[in-house]
C-alpha cells in the first residue's frame, strides 16, 4: 500500500478522529471524503473512530503513515482496556462488575435486587455517554492555546467535567482542528469549575494519563482502582433511595456538602452514562464534594442508628496516631524532688519554743539543752551546722 506523502504526526494524547481531521486537512479534504478515498471508510463517526475503530483500518493507517498500530490504538478509548475500562464491547454483567468491586457506602446486593431502570447492558460501557449524537466536550482554553489545535482522547469519556489546567468546565462542541480561535466562545460563555471539581478531575487526569493517582495525603492508588471506585461512588450517589438502606443518610450528607438536596435535578434516570450532560455534571459536583470531604476525613460516614463506627473508603486519609505512640520514650522514673532547704537557726529556735509551750517534756528538753550543752548539741547534729552558720543568735 502506498505511503501518504503528507502525514502530520499525532500530538500528545490526541484522539484518533482529531488526527484524521488533520490528515484530511493537509490534503484539503473533508474528513469523510478523505477516509473514503484513502481507506474505503466513509461513514465512521468521530465517536466510532475514538472508541474502537476496525483493526484493518488501524493497520492500513499504520502502513500508510508509519505511525505504529500501538500508537494509534492508544489514541482511542480501546487503548484504556483492560485497566481503566474492562472492554469496549458491551456485555452482560459488566455494569455489575464495574461498580461492585470498590464500593464506598452502600450495599451492592441491594442495588441489584430489582431490574435497573433504562439500563441496557447490550450497549452500556462505563464512562461512555450513551447519546451517540452527543459531541464530546473540549476545553476551549486548551484548544485556544494549542499551536496546532487538537482534541484530547481523555475528553471523549465522561470521567471528567472540567479542565484541571484552566479550571473551566468542558463544553460539548463541534470541533475541527482548523476552528478559528475567536469562534470558540461564540455560542457558549465560559463556566468556571468549582474547587472540588477541579481537584477531583486533576486526580482522574493523573489516572487516565499516568496510570496511578497520588492522593493529597500521600497514598498512591492505581488507575484500575481509582476509576472503578469513583464510578461506584457516583452510582451510590445517584441510585434509587430504596437501595440505600442505612447508608441513605451518608448520601444525603454528600449531596448537602455540594449544596443540594438528595438527587436534586436528576429526574428518573439512575444510570450515569445515560443521563444528560447537565445531570452528569450535577452528579459529578456531588462526587467531587464527597471525595473532597473524604480525603480530609471530614465527611460523617456513620450509617443510620450507628454512633461509634464509620464506613471506610479508599478515599480516607491514613489513620492518625497519637504523637506519644510514635516516639520512643524512657519509662517514667521516680519523681525527682528537691531536698527541702535546711531551716535557719532562728526557725529551729522558734519551733523548739513553740513545742515547749505545748508540752512540758519539750520544755524540759529545751531547758536542759540551754543549760548544759548547746555547742555540743550543734556538733552532734551536723544538719544544724548550716543553720548555725547563717543564723544570728536567738533573742
Ligand atoms: Zn484546558
Amino acid at each position: 500500500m502506498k505511503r501518504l506523502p503528507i502525514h502530520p504526526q499525532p500530538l500528545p494524547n490526541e484522539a484518533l478522529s482529531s488526527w484524521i481531521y488533520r490528515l484530511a486537512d493537509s490534503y484539503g479534504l473533508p474528513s469523510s471524503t478523505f477516509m473514503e478515498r484513502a481507506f474505503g471508510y466513509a461513514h465512521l463517526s468521530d465517536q466510532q473512530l475514538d472508541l474502537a475503530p476496525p483493526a484493518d483500518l488501524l493497520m492500513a493507517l499504520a502502513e500508510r503513515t508509519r505511525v505504529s498500530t500501538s500508537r494509534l490504538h492508544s489514541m482511542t478509548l480501546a487503548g484504556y482496556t483492560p485497566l481503566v475500562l474492562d472492554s469496549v464491547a458491551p456485555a452482560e454483567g459488566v455494569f455489575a462488575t464495574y461498580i461492585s468491586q470498590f464500593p464506598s457506602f452502600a450495599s451492592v446486593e441491594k442495588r441489584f435486587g430489582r431490574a435497573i431502570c433504562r439500563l441496557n447492558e447490550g450497549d452500556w460501557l462505563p464512562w461512555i455517554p450513551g447519546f451517540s449524537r452527543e459531541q464530546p466536550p473540549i476545553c476551549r482554553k486548551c484548544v485556544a492555546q494549542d499551536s496546532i489545535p487538537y482534541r484530547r482522547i481523555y475528553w471523549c469519556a465522561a470521567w471528567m467535567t472540567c479542565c484541571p489546567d484552566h479550571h473551566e468546565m468542558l463544553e460539548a462542541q463541534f470541533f475541527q482542528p482548523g476552528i478559528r480561535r475567536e469562534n470558540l466562545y461564540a455560542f457558549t460563555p465560559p463556566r468556571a469549575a468549582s474547587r472540588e471539581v477541579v481537584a477531583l478531575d486533576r486526580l482522574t487526569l493523573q489516572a487516565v494519563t499516568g496510570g496511578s493517582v497520588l492522593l493529597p495525603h500521600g497514598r498512591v492508588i492505581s488507575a484500575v482502582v481509582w476509576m472503578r471506585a469513583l464510578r461506584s461512588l457516583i452510582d451510590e450517589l445517584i441510585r434509587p433511595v430504596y437501595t440505600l438502606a442505612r447508608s441513605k443518610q451518608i448520601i444525603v450528607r454528600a449531596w448537602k456538602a455540594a449544596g443540594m438536596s438528595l438527587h436534586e435535578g436528576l429526574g428518573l434516570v439512575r444510570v450515569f452514562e445515560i443521563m444528560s450532560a447537565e445531570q452528569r455534571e450535577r452528579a459529578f459536583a456531588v462526587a467531587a464534594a464527597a471525595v473532597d470531604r473524604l480525603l480530609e476525613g471530614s465527611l460523617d460516614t456513620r450509617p443510620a442508628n450507628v454512633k461509634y463506627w464509620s464506613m471506610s473508603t479508599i478515599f480516607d486519609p491514613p489513620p492518625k496516631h497519637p504523637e506519644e505512640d510514635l516516639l520512643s520514650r524512657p519509662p517514667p522514673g521516680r519523681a525527682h524532688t528537691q531536698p527541702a532547704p535546711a531551716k535557719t537557726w532562728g526557725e529551729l529556735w522558734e519551733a523548739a519554743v513553740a513545742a515547749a509551750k505545748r508540752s512540758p517534756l519539750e520544755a524540759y528538753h529545751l531547758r536542759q539543752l540551754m543549760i548544759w550543752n548547746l555547742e555540743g548539741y550543734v556538733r552532734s547534729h551536723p544538719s544544724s551546722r548550716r543553720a548555725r552558720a547563717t543564723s544570728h543568735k536567738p533573742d
Side-chain angles (χ1 to χ4, degrees):
M1 197 176 279
K2 267 176 85 175
R3 278 182 56 203
L4 291 168
I6 312 168
H7 42 271
Q9 289 300 295
L11 296 165
N13 297 304
E14 183 167 18
L16 187 66
S17 67
S18 168
W19 181 62
I20 286 176
Y21 266 112
R22 293 197 298 115
L23 264 175
D25 198 47
S26 64
Y27 293 93
L29 294 172
S31 176
S32 56
T33 309
F34 170 78
M35 286 298 285
E36 183 176 17
R37 292 186 189 171
F39 299 100
Y41 280 95
H43 303 295
L44 283 177
S45 66
D46 287 357
Q47 285 82 354
Q48 287 171 313
L49 282 171
D50 291 336
L51 180 64
D56 61 338
L57 172 61
L58 287 192
M59 288 178 66
L61 275 167
E63 201 172 321
R64 299 195 70 182
T65 61
R66 287 204 171 171
V67 176
S68 69
T69 49
S70 61
R71 176 80 194 270
L72 296 173
H73 183 66
S74 74
M75 296 164 69
T76 67
L77 293 171
Y80 288 106
T81 60
L83 299 182
V84 170
L85 305 170
D86 293 39
S87 159
V88 286
E92 198 79 21
V94 174
F95 181 85
T97 306
Y98 201 85
I99 69 159
S100 300
Q101 293 173 71
F102 303 100
S104 290
F105 310 123
S107 152
V108 169
E109 291 72 31
K110 287 212 179 323
R111 175 55 157 150
F112 300 104
R114 298 186 207 172
I116 295 172
C117 179
R118 293 186 57 189
L119 172 66
N120 177 1
E121 293 200 73
D123 65 8
W124 181 88
L125 288 171
W127 299 116
I128 312 298
F131 293 110
S132 57
R133 283 171 296 177
E134 186 181 302
Q135 281 289 333
I138 60 171
C139 170
R140 291 170 292 176
K141 277 222 171 98
C142 281
V143 171
Q145 290 177 4
D146 287 339
S147 54
I148 301 170
Y150 69 103
R151 186 192 293 280
R152 278 68 165 166
I153 185 62
Y154 51 73
W155 291 337
C156 298
W159 46 47
M160 297 194 299
T161 55
C162 82
C163 170
D165 293 333
H166 295 114
H167 299 198
E168 192 172 295
M169 297 300 284
L170 303 178
E171 296 289 350
Q173 186 154 333
F174 182 70
F175 172 80
Q176 283 185 315
I179 191 165
R180 293 163 68 95
R181 288 178 174 82
E182 58 271 28
N183 289 341
L184 284 167
Y185 290 91
F187 301 105
T188 315
R191 292 183 296 141
S194 71
R195 176 189 64 80
E196 289 98 341
V197 168
V198 170
L200 176 60
D201 285 352
R202 180 168 286 125
L203 296 173
T204 301
L205 185 59
Q206 285 181 35
V208 296
T209 56
S212 62
V213 174
L214 173 61
L215 297 181
H217 48 59
R219 184 183 293 159
V220 176
I221 294 184
S222 158
V224 174
V225 176
W226 177 260
M227 298 308 295
R228 288 164 177 77
L230 179 59
R231 182 62 187 81
S232 298
L233 176 64
I234 288 176
D235 192 73
E236 291 173 20
L237 295 171
I238 64 175
R239 68 178 61 165
V241 171
Y242 71 84
T243 68
L244 295 174
R246 295 168 73 198
S247 56
K248 179 188 165 188
Q249 72 182 46
I250 309 173
I251 307 300
V252 169
R253 288 184 202 120
W255 279 79
K256 197 173 172 189
M260 289 182 260
S261 58
L262 181 65
H263 296 168
E264 186 179 323
L266 284 194
L268 295 174
V269 180
R270 290 291 186 267
V271 178
F272 179 73
E273 289 76 9
I274 58 176
M275 288 178 165
S276 68
E278 187 193 342
Q279 289 169 331
R280 291 200 306 268
E281 279 186 5
R282 196 171 273 269
F284 236 86
V286 182
V291 170
D292 179 72
R293 307 301 189 278
L294 287 170
L295 288 173
E296 64 180 23
S298 65
L299 184 68
D300 182 353
T301 56
R302 289 172 303 171
N305 305 321
V306 171
K307 265 189 182 174
Y308 300 111
W309 64 272
S310 304
M311 310 288 284
S312 58
T313 76
I314 70 145
F315 307 101
D316 296 346
K320 286 180 185 166
H321 297 282
E323 192 179 343
E324 52 267 30
D325 285 350
L326 299 175
L327 298 176
S328 179
R329 293 173 184 272
R334 197 179 298 168
H336 183 70
T337 54
Q338 292 285 333
K343 291 183 176 176
T344 63
W345 177 255
E347 289 166 342
L348 287 171
W349 176 253
E350 283 171 11
V353 171
K357 286 179 180 172
R358 290 192 302 269
S359 159
L361 184 60
E362 290 292 332
Y364 171 76
H365 286 313
L366 181 61
R367 182 171 176 273
Q368 292 302 97
L369 180 68
M370 290 172 68
I371 293 171
W372 298 108
N373 202 11
L374 184 60
E375 286 299 317
Y377 172 83
V378 171
R379 273 200 305 275
S380 64
H381 293 79
S383 62
S384 68
R385 279 179 189 154
R386 178 181 160 270
R388 183 171 168 255
T390 58
S391 68
H392 57 81
K393 207 167 178 178
D395 296 335

